[in-house]
Amino acid sequence: MRYPFSEIEPKWQKYWEETKVFKTDLNKTDNKLYCLVMFIYPSGAKLHCGHWYNYGPTDSWARYKKLKGYNVFEPMGYDAFGLPAENYAIKTGIHPYDSTMQNIKDIREQLKKMGGMYDWDAELMTCAPEYYKWNQWIFLQLFKKGLAYRKNAPVNWCPKDQTVLANEQVLADGTCERCGTTVVQKNLTQWFLKITDYVEELLSGLDKINWPEKTKLMQRNWIGKSVGAEIVFSVEGSDEKIKVFTTRPDTVFGVTYVVLAPEHPLVDKLTNTENKNKVEAYLDSIKSLTEIERTSTVKEKTGVPIGANAINPANGKEIPIWIADYALLTYGTGCVMAVPGQDERDWEFATKFNLPIIRTVEPPKDFQGEAYLGDGPAISSDFLNGLNVVDAKKKIIGWLEENNHGTKKINYRLRDWLISRQRYWGTPIPIIHCPRCGEVPVDEKDLPVELPYKVEFKSEGASPLLSNEEFINVKCPKCGGEGKREADTMDTFMDSSWYYLRYLDPKFDAAAFNQKLADEWTPVDMYVGGAEHATMHLLYARFIHKFLRDIKLVNSDEPFSTLLHQGTITNNGAKMSKSKGNVVNPDDFTSEFGADVFRLYLMFMGPYELGGDWSDKGIAGTDRFVQRSYDFFVRYKDILKKASPKETYDIDSLSNEEKSVYKKINQTIKKYDEEINNFRFNTAIASLMELLNELKYLKNCSDEICAYTLKRFAVMLEPVAPHLGEECWNLLGNENSLMEQPVWFKVDPKGLLEDSVNIAVQINGKLRATLELPMNSEQETVKKSVFAEDKILKHTQDKQIVKEIFVKNKIYNIVVK
Ligand SMILES: [Zn+2]
Ligand SMILES: [Zn+2]
């Protein structure tokens, strides 16, 4: 009989929902386990393969943990604000609220059909006022502590999305991570969160969490800590000083020119009349370039001299001052000391503009390149000569400090988090601008500042909220005069930086989250989601968590103790994309094979953290496995009503076939347990497939052994094929649902043993030892054991071995002379 998934799947979904079996009692904290997937971005109405691959396997892991006796909390919600809904509104006229609500409704239904064990009472959506009210509240706490501030700064602007982007949202090629448009630079007054105050802890905390090394490295690189020195260069004929940050103060004798960021305030002061026009023309030419373009290693270097000289403090030499776009006002001090001998970018620049190059570190003899970045003895460096890089750094920093030419300094690449967005579909920033009082925070009791429904979306770069007069014009809370609301909304990464706390009690209205539950249930034990979030969401959430700890709202240092990234599913080796027309639509396959087969196949395809390649044939194979498994349970329907198996059996009392089945099922439990516990679903499922082949011997086994085996098989099916597992458990004659009364079977260690045989070891025809070894051991294995025996060595040492004869499972004969 074909497995009737279209009856069985809805049947169990209904049962789970009606019995509320997935509602977690959060007051019970024994064996608690918070298992979380990154919540869903409801920009479309359908779950795609990527969603399935994130949610299905993680849910299987959570189910496995539930069977093992954990009190598992697995919530699901919606990261519901964001650009796609707003862009869709501009295109179609459908309001973001309406389209988002419809999408959420559709997605919820799909998630239920997937069979996830989500606690639907814990569902949340970030676009609900009762959620974003607390976004605003957290913003106000940051503001109170001086960690939210407004400043005019050059920012990344996406001309297509008509909004600013955080540095984290601009890709390495200078394009918008959302739409691929080349990002331009614009000066705007924006809100920033001072993530840089937490920079050292964001670094050191990485050592305490169980995250993929690759992800930790990405965060470390993004934070970009470098230890070096700030060196002061005086300017010839001026009292101005140029401060530069360098990680290589040891190369100071090789500085042959100084570069200022073109926007540096000193440029105007120091440029001589002769160079004024050239400098202005240059400033004009680089205006629209982004930081990423400016610092690109492939871009040709440009710059102009300003007609002034600096003095190298190490040797008193005059060196020219240039401006060049590769120097950024936002990095270090906005000034660079150029050491072409030890820096590739400087080498390229010096070569192009004919500036002197002095090597101050001696490259190895066979060195063929240009700038030499490696270690070696210092040369042309006076009192540093002969020292290696580390020692030279130490010595020069001491010298600089003694002579008031500089100090030791640490620098970071990480910038403050820019959160203003000139868009509608987000959390309004709870600030009122008053001409008399300045930036006035909205009173906490007046939260939420509700997002108005009525606005003009096509706003050409201005915030759409400006189009709603009623929203914008308000009284100043401080002086009562006319004020205007902040019209920008928050980056949606703010919404996702604390949602895991809100899940624990999403209707809680006394505070942002239920603190008692948060203390007991966070950090999240297992967090699963895409690696693309490494330097955005995963960094922001760590920052906000630490801030919440500092204002005494959480009692832990990190939000997610273990993190895992799922891999990607490709189609014929290619990334799935609408433009390539190779997208696998889950609905096509779930309607043909059922949700369990689809989930199973995704998990079987390859190692979870690497992903796999889709094949229509492959899913048919998984379907056969499900059919054959189901057949066994139908054949042995109600066997538990006839036979009550024991917990363990004495192996010697079993027939050969029973023994073989008994061993196989115990070996499978052990293997499956180890594999699935480590998210190795593919090998866990493979072990079930192997088991299935062994079940052909069931027909020669007693009812008790059949029942013993199939009970265990059903339990192992449950996590990876939830509906099928429940159904099979039921078919055996169990009245309860596995999820209601979780069961996990212990392995019988005796069942793991291979059969053994006694092998007689003879030397020159005399029996010298008997060894117990696994049945069917090969000669190599037996030989090792033989020659590890003292009794044997006694008779073979100092003798010549003439011959060794091995008879499998019987005898090992040695002839010595
Ligand atoms: Zn864009
Ligand atoms: Zn005022």
Side-chain angles (χ1 to χ4, degrees):
M1 181 187 159
R2 212 184 133 70
Y3 172 55
F5 71 85
S6 55
E7 288 161 38
I8 286 167
E9 290 186 351
K11 179 182 96 181
W12 284 105
Q13 285 155 18
K14 188 160 169 266
Y15 184 83
W16 293 329
E17 187 148 355
E18 282 172 2
T19 52
K20 288 216 167 205
V21 54
F22 299 139
K23 180 168 174 54
T24 310
D25 184 352
L26 295 170
N27 293 313
K28 286 190 189 142
T29 53
D30 281 354
N31 261 340
K32 69 100 191 170
L33 191 143
Y34 190 167
C35 175
L36 183 66
V37 289
M38 290 183 185
F39 60 171
I40 191 164
Y41 198 62
S43 58
K46 296 256 168 188
L47 296 183
H48 55 64
C49 256
H51 292 131
W52 266 87
Y53 200 48
N54 188 352
Y55 306 156
T58 306
D59 178 65
S60 290
W61 187 81
R63 281 175 179 270
Y64 152 76
K65 288 291 182 185
K66 190 174 171 77
L67 290 176
K68 288 206 88 174
Y70 286 89
N71 185 24
V72 180
F73 179 50
E74 189 188 19
M76 181 50 93
Y78 313 93
D79 192 5
F81 274 140
L83 276 181
E86 193 169 341
N87 290 341
Y88 184 70
I90 293 169
K91 222 162 64 186
T92 63
I94 299 171
H95 194 280
Y97 177 84
D98 301 332
S99 62
T100 302
M101 286 305 140
Q102 186 58 47
N103 287 349
I104 287 178
K105 195 165 158 263
D106 295 342
I107 288 169
R108 186 188 293 119
E109 282 317 301
Q110 288 194 304
L111 287 167
K112 286 183 178 174
K113 283 186 184 155
M114 177 192 279
M117 56 168 238
Y118 303 117
D119 181 346
W120 289 106
D121 286 345
E123 190 187 36
L124 61 77
M125 56 180 85
T126 56
C127 64
E130 66 266 23
Y131 185 86
Y132 68 69
K133 169 184 179 175
W134 299 108
N135 253 353
Q136 295 172 337
W137 184 84
I138 292 171
F139 175 88
L140 291 179
Q141 308 316 304
L142 287 157
F143 182 80
K144 266 195 229 164
K145 300 270 174 199
L147 295 171
Y149 66 95
R150 203 161 167 256
K151 75 165 182 197
N152 188 277
V155 295
N156 307 303
W157 177 264
C158 174
K160 178 141 186 267
D161 289 330
Q162 291 281 310
T163 188
V164 301
L165 302 171
N167 284 343
E168 288 82 350
Q169 289 169 309
V170 182
L171 303 179
D173 63 354
T175 60
C176 166
E177 60 116 14
R178 223 174 264 289
C179 70
T181 307
T182 300
V183 172
V184 297
Q185 206 82 10
K186 227 183 175 181
N187 272 310
L188 281 176
T189 303
Q190 305 280 295
W191 285 98
F192 291 84
L193 299 184
K194 231 172 172 182
I195 189 172
T196 51
D197 265 23
Y198 284 83
V199 67
E200 273 300 326
E201 213 200 323
L202 287 169
L203 274 177
S204 61
L206 290 171
D207 298 331
K208 298 174 207 150
I209 45 182
N210 182 19
W211 284 23
E213 280 308 318
K214 201 177 62 185
T215 310
K216 293 200 217 178
L217 185 66
M218 279 170 82
Q219 289 208 349
R220 279 194 194 101
N221 290 342
W222 188 256
I223 291 167
K225 178 179 180 172
S226 45
V227 180
E230 190 171 270
I231 303 182
V232 183
F233 288 72
S234 48
V235 178
E236 205 201 359
S238 161
D239 292 335
E240 300 290 350
K241 305 272 182 210
I242 297 174
K243 286 182 180 170
V244 305
F245 171 78
T246 175
T247 56
R248 294 290 305 271
D250 60 301
T251 62
V252 66
F253 285 92
V255 178
T256 56
Y257 60 98
V258 168
V259 179
L260 302 183
E263 303 84 355
H264 198 286
L266 278 180
V267 174
D268 203 36
K269 289 182 191 162
L270 299 180
T271 304
N272 69 1
T273 34
E274 210 177 305
N275 289 268
K276 268 245 142 62
N277 288 343
K278 247 197 281 179
V279 165
E280 266 160 30
Y282 183 70
L283 281 168
D284 233 32
S285 72
I286 58 152
K287 234 195 237 155
S288 67
L289 297 177
T290 62
E291 288 194 357
I292 287 147
E293 286 171 292
R294 283 172 55 166
T295 50
S296 155
T297 49
V298 291
K299 181 182 161 292
E300 204 192 332
K301 299 286 166 287
T302 61
V304 289
I306 64 167
N309 287 326
I311 312 287
N312 185 333
N315 54 20
K317 277 190 194 158
E318 279 179 26
I319 49 177
I321 304 173
W322 283 61
I323 56 171
D325 60 355
Y326 75 72
L328 299 176
L329 203 52
T330 50
Y331 182 81
T333 59
C335 313
V336 176
M337 62 175 226
V339 274
Q342 277 79 226
D343 182 286
E344 283 164 343
R345 195 183 48 182
D346 298 344
W347 179 287
E348 206 185 310
F349 193 87
T351 314
K352 182 172 171 187
F353 294 107
N354 241 333
L355 292 156
I357 296 171
I358 302 169
R359 285 195 196 279
T360 57
V361 179
E362 191 173 356
K365 284 210 173 59
D366 53 351
F367 180 70
Q368 299 278 327
E370 297 170 337
Y372 175 64
L373 281 61
D375 201 356
I379 49 171
S380 311
S381 296
D382 197 341
F383 56 89
L384 299 180
N385 284 348
L387 296 177
N388 66 26
V389 171
V390 172
D391 292 342
K393 270 190 196 178
K394 248 185 239 155
K395 187 153 187 185
I396 191 72
I397 289 173
W399 183 87
L400 288 166
E401 287 181 341
E402 263 166 48
N403 294 281
N404 286 326
H405 289 311
T407 47
K408 182 176 177 176
K409 185 135 193 191
I410 295 168
N411 201 38
Y412 303 91
R413 182 172 173 265
L414 184 71
R415 300 274 82 90
D416 278 340
W417 174 15
L418 165 52
I419 59 150
S420 304
R421 294 293 178 274
Q422 291 68 48
R423 297 301 297 242
Y424 164 71
W425 192 230
T427 303
I429 295 174
I431 291 287
I432 292 164
H433 299 283
C434 170
R436 289 156 299 274
C437 318
E439 294 150 358
V440 184
V442 172
D443 216 311
E444 283 179 21
K445 70 172 173 19
D446 295 331
L447 297 181
V449 176
E450 267 200 64
L451 187 68
Y453 187 83
K454 240 188 97 188
V455 292
E456 184 57 55
F457 294 113
K458 287 172 210 159
S459 55
E460 301 303 324
S463 303
L465 284 175
L466 286 168
S467 68
N468 185 315
E469 300 267 327
E470 242 174 275
F471 174 82
I472 287 295
N473 297 315
V474 283
K475 294 269 181 281
C476 166
K478 227 182 202 170
C479 71
E482 297 296 323
K484 287 200 185 301
R485 274 195 202 283
E486 170 70 49
D488 287 352
T489 53
M490 291 182 207
D491 182 0
T492 54
F493 280 118
M494 184 73 184
D495 316 359
S496 52
S497 60
W498 63 281
Y499 76 112
Y500 55 92
L501 295 162
R502 184 77 189 167
Y503 265 143
L504 296 161
D505 194 350
K507 295 189 180 66
F508 197 65
D509 58 8
F513 50 87
N514 182 327
Q515 201 181 332
K516 179 180 170 283
L517 292 180
D519 283 348
E520 285 164 357
W521 280 81
T522 61
V524 169
D525 299 288
M526 175 58 77
Y527 195 32
V528 184
E532 68 275 15
H533 295 285
T535 57
M536 291 189 267
H537 161 57
L538 289 168
L539 191 61
Y540 299 143
R542 294 184 60 220
F543 158 51
I544 294 295
H545 194 88
K546 290 172 193 300
F547 169 69
L548 293 172
R549 176 206 58 197
D550 288 350
I551 59 170
K552 311 241 167 344
L553 290 183
V554 295
N555 63 355
S556 51
D557 296 329
E558 292 282 341
F560 317 118
S561 35
T562 301
L563 172 75
L564 201 103
H565 301 303
Q566 76 276 16
T568 328
I569 300 294
T570 52
N571 194 355
N572 276 314
K575 208 179 161 187
M576 290 187 202
S577 79
K578 273 189 196 143
S579 58
K580 283 190 205 128
N582 66 347
V583 175
V584 171
N585 175 13
D587 291 357
D588 295 347
F589 293 91
T590 53
S591 60
E592 189 181 345
F593 298 107
D596 279 356
V597 169
F598 191 71
R599 175 198 290 225
L600 257 176
Y601 178 55
L602 288 178
M603 291 192 290
F604 185 56
M605 242 186 252
Y608 187 52
E609 286 165 84
L610 293 180
D613 194 40
W614 178 269
S615 129
D616 290 2
K617 260 191 210 145
I619 193 168
T622 313
D623 182 52
R624 273 195 303 280
F625 165 73
V626 166
Q627 298 304 330
R628 285 179 60 211
S629 304
Y630 180 68
D631 283 348
F632 271 105
F633 289 92
V634 171
R635 206 174 306 151
Y636 291 91
K637 190 168 187 299
D638 287 332
I639 191 154
L640 288 173
K641 291 182 179 156
K642 289 188 281 180
S644 333
K646 296 191 281 190
E647 282 305 300
T648 52
Y649 285 88
D650 175 8
I651 293 190
D652 295 333
S653 72
L654 302 176
S655 74
N656 277 346
E657 268 137 343
E658 285 174 340
K659 205 187 281 180
S660 163
V661 169
Y662 186 81
K663 284 187 171 179
K664 190 68 188 177
I665 188 75
N666 276 292
Q667 286 159 1
T668 307
I669 296 172
K670 180 165 187 285
K671 170 91 175 154
Y672 179 94
D673 198 356
E674 281 167 8
E675 300 298 289
I676 201 165
N677 189 41
N678 291 300
F679 279 76
R680 292 191 294 260
F681 303 104
N682 56 332
T683 41
I685 293 166
S687 74
L688 296 184
M689 291 177 169
E690 257 184 58
L691 170 69
L692 186 64
N693 288 331
E694 184 78 13
L695 295 189
K696 57 179 177 275
Y697 299 118
L698 278 185
K699 61 179 188 298
N700 302 327
C701 295
S702 68
D703 283 351
E704 269 189 45
I705 292 298
C706 289
Y708 176 95
T709 306
L710 290 172
K711 263 171 87 173
R712 284 159 176 76
F713 186 25
V715 167
M716 287 189 280
L717 278 173
E718 156 60 21
V720 292
H723 309 88
L724 177 71
E726 287 276 36
E727 185 65 18
C728 292
W729 181 251
N730 237 233
L731 277 172
L732 294 176
N734 289 301
E735 302 290 331
N736 60 318
S737 136
L738 264 178
M739 285 288 115
E740 270 180 304
Q741 282 164 268
V743 175
W744 191 260
F745 291 106
K746 276 206 196 97
V747 172
D748 177 3
K750 290 201 185 103
L752 299 178
L753 297 176
E754 301 279 349
D755 280 330
S756 60
V757 284
N758 288 327
I759 293 176
V761 187
Q762 296 188 346
I763 298 174
N764 291 349
K766 276 202 180 108
L767 181 69
R768 296 292 182 192
T770 309
L771 301 180
E772 193 180 340
L773 286 166
M775 176 100 84
N776 297 327
S777 294
E778 296 298 331
Q779 179 163 6
E780 275 309 298
T781 321
V782 177
K783 181 176 177 157
K784 266 188 208 139
S785 305
V786 167
F787 288 98
E789 283 289 314
D790 286 341
K791 282 182 255 174
I792 305 298
L793 291 175
K794 212 163 77 187
H795 299 282
T796 54
Q797 261 163 0
D798 313 320
K799 301 228 166 84
Q800 191 194 344
I801 293 170
V802 185
K803 218 178 192 181
E804 288 167 77
I805 306 152
F806 172 63
V807 184
K808 204 174 200 173
N809 293 332
K810 287 203 170 114
I811 200 160
Y812 201 96
N813 246 319
I814 306 168
V815 182
V816 293
K817 219 167 50 178

